Amino acid sequence: MTVPTLILNNGAEMPALGFGVFQTPPDETMSAVQEALRVGYRHVDTAAAYANERGVGDAIKRSGLARDQIFIETKIWISDYGYDETLHGFEKSARKLGVDQLDLLILHQALPSAFDRTLEAYRALETLLADGKVRAIGVSNFMPDHLERLLGVAKVVPAVNQIEVHPYFQQPELQRMNRQHGIVSQAWSPIGGITFYRGGDKSALEDPVILGVAEAHGKSAAQVMLRWHLQEGRSVIPKSVKPVRIAENFDVFDFELSPEEVAAIDGLETGVRGGPKPEAITLETFGRVIPEE
C-alpha cells in the first residue's frame, strides 16, 4: 500500500499518514517504529523533547529501507531556542537519529514570553533549509497571532503547523489561516487521545456519531477519525506501541466517508482544548535540558 502524499509549499512531498512516538518510552520506541515501517508507514514524527529520537534512528537503520524512502520529522524544544542554540539543536537531533539531513524540522511550541527567541530559532531553521540540512521547515502549536508575527519577518513560510486537531477540538480559524498561507495542518492526537489520557471522561473512540459511521463502513472509530482527517486534507501522525493498532491505523485507504458523514463529525466540535494552553508555555514551566547524546 502506497500512502498518498501531500505536496508541501516548497515542493517537497510528505506522506499524508505518518507514525507518531509521543510518550512512547525510549526502550519501546525502536520496536514500535520497526513494526510501523514493516506495516508500510514511511513517515515518522518524533521530537527532541520526547527523548526517543535515538530509538527512531535505530529502527530506521535496522529496517533495511533506503534513507530516501523514509520521511523523518522532528522538533526543536523551547530550551534550545535562539539562533545558535537551534542550530546546535539540529546537530543533536541529527546525531541521535543517525542522519545528515532531516526531511522536516519544526519548532515544538511558540514561546510567547520570549517570542524574539522563537523568531531567532525560526531564522536558524531557514539557515538549515538554505544549507540543505533539512528539506522543509515548520512550526507546531502556533496560534493565529503567533503565525502573524512570524510571517511578518520570516523569509520562508512554514510548510507545516502541527496542532491539536480531533473531532472534539478542530481549531477551524487556525486551520483556515494555515490554508490561506499554504501551510499544511498536521494533526497531533488525531483520534482524540488527549481527551482521555489526561483524566478526561469523554472519549471520541466511544462517540455515538463516530461509532455509527464506523459500523456503516465495517471500520473502527479510530479508522473513521483518521479517514476524516485525510479527506479534509490534513496530515495525521497516530501513535501506538501495539502491533494490532499500528496496523489498524494504517488500514484507512479502502473506504471513503460521505459528505454527510464528514459533516456529522465536523459537528462534534466542543471548543475544548486537551493539551496545554499555548500562552502557558514558558521556559520556567516547561524548560528542560535536551541532552547531547
Side-chain angles (χ1 to χ4, degrees), residues 5-156:
T5 57
L6 296 168
I7 309 296
L8 303 181
N9 58 18
N10 68 347
E13 291 189 32
M14 176 177 75
L17 173 67
F19 184 70
V21 294
F22 172 60
Q23 289 187 333
T24 300
D27 60 342
E28 294 180 39
T29 300
M30 186 176 72
S31 59
V33 174
Q34 277 186 297
E35 180 62 16
L37 294 173
R38 189 193 67 75
V39 165
Y41 293 82
R42 292 295 180 265
H43 172 187
V44 182
D45 169 76
T46 182
Y50 299 170
N52 57 17
E53 288 172 312
R54 186 171 296 285
V56 171
D58 289 345
I60 289 169
K61 277 201 277 295
R62 294 183 182 209
S63 71
L65 294 165
R67 170 65 188 92
D68 63 5
Q69 288 186 268
I70 304 174
F71 189 98
I72 303 174
E73 172 179 3
T74 193
K75 312 175 193 72
I76 300 287
W77 187 239
I78 56 173
S79 305
D80 284 340
Y81 283 7
Y83 184 77
D84 291 332
E85 294 89 340
T86 296
L87 292 178
H88 184 59
F90 160 79
E91 297 293 346
K92 288 192 286 189
S93 286
R95 195 159 55 237
K96 290 169 190 168
L97 287 160
V99 297
D100 298 320
Q101 184 191 56
L102 295 170
D103 297 291
L104 176 61
L105 183 61
I106 65 180
L107 301 183
H108 205 140
Q109 300 275 355
L111 191 53
S113 60
F115 205 73
D116 286 350
R117 286 183 67 169
T118 308
L119 295 177
E120 284 296 287
Y122 192 79
R123 189 166 71 86
L125 297 193
E126 292 178 325
T127 296
L128 291 164
L129 180 68
D131 291 347
K133 299 284 185 71
V134 298
R135 294 178 58 236
I137 60 175
V139 294
S140 180
N141 301 304
F142 270 50
M143 298 299 105
D145 58 321
H146 305 141
L147 278 179
E148 275 179 22
R149 291 176 70 185
L150 176 64
L151 292 168
V153 298
K155 295 176 183 163
V156 177

Side-chain angles (χ1 to χ4, degrees), residues 139-202:
V139 294
S140 180
N141 301 304
F142 270 50
M143 298 299 105
D145 58 321
H146 305 141
L147 278 179
E148 275 179 22
R149 291 176 70 185
L150 176 64
L151 292 168
V153 298
K155 295 176 183 163
V156 177
V157 176
V160 166
N161 187 7
Q162 185 185 121
I163 56 176
E164 179 183 348
V165 184
H166 47 79
Y168 290 161
F169 188 65
Q170 298 174 31
Q171 307 203 75
E173 179 196 350
L174 179 54
Q175 286 201 65
R176 266 194 302 276
M177 187 173 182
N178 287 341
R179 272 195 301 277
Q180 284 166 2
H181 292 282
I183 301 169
V184 168
S185 293
Q186 185 175 67
W188 65 258
S189 194
I191 60 175
I194 194 75
T195 63
F196 53 87
Y197 291 152
R198 294 192 173 167
D201 58 359
K202 192 173 186 186

Side-chain angles (χ1 to χ4, degrees), residues 213-224:
V213 175
E215 188 176 359
H217 289 277
K219 291 288 184 178
S220 70
Q223 288 170 319
V224 164

